[in-house]
Amino acid sequence: MAAAIKRKGARAAAHTAEEPPFKKILVANRGEIALRVILACKELGIQTVAVYSEADRNALHVRFADEEVCIGPAPSSRSYLNIPQVIAAAEVTGAEAIHPGYGFLSENPHFVEVCTACGINFIGPNAEIIRRMGNKAEAKATMQAAGIPQMPGSDGLVHTVEDALATAERIGYPVIVKASAGGGGRGMRICNTPEELPDLYGTARSEAKGAFGDDSVYMEKYLLEPRHIEVQILGDLFGNVVHLGERECSIQRRHQKLIEESPSAALSPDLRKRICETAVKAARAVGYYNAGTIEFLLDKRGDFYFMEMNTRVQVEHPVTELVTGIDIVKEQLRVAAGRRLSFTQDQVIQRGHAIECRINAEDPFKFTPSPGRITALNFPGGPGIRVDSAMHQDATIPPHYDSMIAKLIAFGADRTEAIARMRRALDTLVVEGVKTTAPLHRRMLDHADFISGAFSTKWLEGAMESLKQPGGTGG
Ligand code: ADP
């Protein structure tokens, strides 16, 4: 059962023009995203319940929520992923709805069904949509049927090595073997020749089995230097679906994003229109509602292909918020309560430029984790800087969860100003006690390729050696 609940003192009445969409919600997450949701609730006059593991007792999301419930020991499987504990915490506090954030239970269709069965509103799309989009092979088949452009690849799952060899022969090398249940860049193998395919096919399956408990894989043509472009979608229960423009997420390491921006320097107005309209068509094809993201790969010829759909709020959502002025989390809460989106497609205007750097507690050039205690901390401020973080001085970064400790987001009238502001923000960021990726970000922002916008998802891998040298910024 849920452990002790602590109720905080009376809250000041919220000064919002609109009736709060909910009276009280539970936030089933931790870290910066839990805090982000709590802040949106404060603005809307919604009371919040934080859940936390024993390792997060002193976390800021716990401090700033109205109520708090400890749901178990540090390992996620026994706390943030423990469905009975999360549901019990919601029931005992009388929360009407649960916001899942990203990661943890956010894309777990079973959790959505349990919420529904218990009369708790899940702030996201329904279980069926999450299930269909969570299985990547099925998502691709659905999108193919809807006429959304697809990368050449296998027809559904690839069951045997013979199947894999025949598929690769048909689409041409290089190919990528991907876990159908995949996420976070895991369960993927790139293969250049028929000789290496049997082994790589086998390791992709066993890694998928280990990471996701499901060894089904599919195959795609592997694009050599694509850009990762994704489109933010919002939908309501009245069938309104809009896009909030694109995000450029090509600066990656091992298929994990490090820098995101909006707009993308790679899109002409015409291409932007086509990719965003395609994303809306894809979302409509599955009757999508709440916040979601359609991810595409863009090749050098300007052709783009559906990659996957994420059925939750994305880590990098702030860049879209800064260029559109739309609060994505507040809209999630509104539409979950059965309200209409508060704007139409015509009212969405991308203005200026925003860049986000993910600051991880890691050695910046070796990428090894650096958990520990933060002994000194200064977050940057000043014009155009937003920091989404739940860190504070003396905070201990537990080794149990992901290593992201802050997102620095810079807004400028144009890309040049956004870059200048981000450099200044990184120069005034102080984190002592643990190593962070900030020095790597600082060097990337000085690199000629980053400044010119000429990069692909492969860029960082190639530039890493020069970035390790002080002043190695591509000349
Ligand atoms: P995950 O869900 O694990 O994040 P994705 O399917 O979103 O996996 O892919 C993550 C990244 O992997 C992409 O942003 C891209 O860099 C790379 N990638 C995936 N599929 C391909 C492909 N067919 N060709 C080239 N790169 C790819």
Side-chain angles (χ1 to χ4, degrees):
M1 254 313 288
I5 321 161
K6 206 172 103 198
R7 289 205 160 73
K8 303 258 172 76
R11 294 163 57 258
H15 298 283
T16 50
E18 86 181 86
E19 187 68 15
F22 296 104
K23 285 198 179 66
K24 189 192 279 186
I25 72 153
L26 180 142
V27 184
N29 216 299
R30 66 181 298 282
E32 67 87 19
I33 194 63
L35 197 51
R36 169 73 189 85
V37 174
I38 290 168
L39 298 185
C41 289
K42 282 186 185 292
E43 289 180 30
L44 287 171
I46 300 171
Q47 294 207 34
T48 50
V49 180
V51 292
Y52 65 99
S53 75
E54 284 162 11
D56 279 339
R57 240 171 237 296
N58 299 317
L60 283 193
H61 78 280
V62 179
R63 183 182 307 181
F64 293 137
D66 297 297
E67 293 171 54
E68 58 200 48
V69 183
C70 181
I71 52 166
S76 321
S77 58
R78 300 179 61 197
S79 49
Y80 297 104
L81 291 172
N82 185 332
I83 295 177
Q85 285 286 52
V86 173
I87 296 287
E91 288 189 327
V92 91
T93 53
E96 292 161 86
I98 295 183
H99 195 301
Y102 52 68
F104 294 128
L105 296 169
S106 63
E107 291 177 289
N108 181 327
H110 171 64
F111 177 61
V112 181
E113 282 162 355
V114 176
C115 286
T116 310
C118 296
I120 298 166
N121 193 327
F122 176 82
I123 299 166
N126 63 37
E128 197 215 321
I129 294 176
I130 295 178
R131 191 167 277 126
R132 268 172 91 185
M133 294 299 107
N135 180 318
K136 292 192 190 183
E138 193 181 333
K140 281 177 74 94
T142 306
M143 291 306 167
Q144 179 139 31
I148 307 300
Q150 301 279 322
M151 211 110 49
S154 57
D155 197 8
L157 299 178
V158 178
H159 299 284
T160 62
V161 177
E162 291 70 38
D163 238 10
L165 286 163
T167 305
E169 198 58 40
R170 177 168 57 78
I171 61 181
Y173 290 89
V175 295
I176 181 165
V177 183
K178 293 170 120 178
S180 192
R186 285 179 303 169
M188 288 195 258
R189 285 292 179 282
I190 297 146
C191 175
N192 293 299
T193 64
E195 287 70 41
E196 59 185 25
L197 184 54
D199 273 2
L200 292 172
Y201 171 77
T203 46
R205 283 190 72 156
S206 49
E207 188 175 311
K209 181 84 189 165
F212 314 108
D214 173 358
D215 70 351
S216 40
V217 296
Y218 64 102
M219 282 166 69
E220 274 172 3
K221 174 96 189 146
Y222 183 68
L223 299 183
L224 286 181
E225 291 183 336
R227 294 179 82 120
H228 174 124
I229 307 284
E230 59 184 36
V231 179
Q232 177 69 53
I233 292 294
L234 273 173
D236 63 22
L237 288 162
F238 300 88
N240 299 305
V241 179
V242 299
H243 70 78
L244 304 189
E246 86 283 10
R247 289 185 291 260
E248 160 74 66
C249 307
S250 301
I251 305 287
Q252 303 180 349
R253 182 186 172 269
R254 293 206 184 136
H255 309 304
Q256 295 268 49
K257 299 160 188 166
L258 285 181
I259 299 183
E260 302 96 347
E261 45 185 317
S262 186
S264 166
L267 302 190
S268 64
D270 172 61
L271 184 51
R272 173 170 300 115
K273 185 166 184 292
R274 281 191 288 126
I275 206 162
C276 291
E277 285 175 359
T278 302
V280 170
K281 186 172 157 192
R284 282 192 201 283
V286 290
Y288 201 79
Y289 60 91
N290 214 286
T293 295
I294 318 262
E295 297 188 338
F296 297 98
L297 287 181
L298 173 70
D299 70 16
K300 285 190 175 138
R301 293 179 315 190
D303 288 329
F304 57 88
Y305 308 93
F306 172 80
M307 192 162 46
E308 66 165 336
M309 175 164 205
N310 292 323
T311 54
R312 49 160 167 86
V313 69
Q314 205 94 337
V315 175
E316 56 273 24
H317 76 277
V319 293
T320 301
E321 294 186 324
L322 293 185
V323 295
T324 61
I326 291 165
D327 187 316
I328 293 170
V329 177
K330 285 206 270 191
E331 290 299 325
Q332 284 193 289
L333 292 159
R334 288 194 181 108
V335 300
R339 297 193 184 163
R340 284 178 190 276
L341 284 175
S342 66
F343 57 89
T344 61
Q345 186 68 67
D346 292 346
Q347 292 169 320
V348 180
I349 295 157
Q350 277 175 287
R351 189 184 59 89
H353 196 97
I355 301 179
E356 171 179 283
C357 289
R358 298 191 189 191
I359 309 298
N360 296 333
E362 285 169 6
D363 182 296
F365 301 107
K366 297 193 197 113
F367 294 99
T368 45
S370 181
R373 192 171 69 88
I374 295 190
T375 51
L377 183 69
N378 178 62
F379 280 141
I385 297 298
R386 164 172 166 181
V387 181
D388 280 19
S389 174
M391 281 302 123
H392 57 90
Q393 192 157 342
D394 286 332
T396 300
I397 301 164
H400 311 277
Y401 314 111
D402 85 43
S403 63
M404 196 178 71
I405 55 170
K407 306 187 304 204
L408 300 191
I409 311 112
F411 177 79
D414 55 23
R415 190 165 185 267
T416 307
E417 188 178 47
I419 291 175
R421 285 180 164 166
M422 182 61 91
R423 285 192 190 124
R424 181 255 291 165
L426 286 162
D427 287 342
T428 52
L429 170 73
V430 177
V431 184
E432 284 173 14
V434 298
K435 290 183 181 160
T436 79
T437 47
L440 170 65
H441 282 289
R442 186 64 186 82
R443 288 186 196 172
M444 285 196 281
L445 283 161
D446 274 345
H447 199 288
D449 294 341
F450 183 79
I451 294 166
S452 70
F455 49 78
S456 73
T457 57
K458 282 279 136 332
W459 175 77
L460 182 57
E461 202 182 299
M464 202 59 205
E465 277 314 307
S466 76
L467 288 165
K468 283 182 184 169
Q469 317 302 324
T473 51

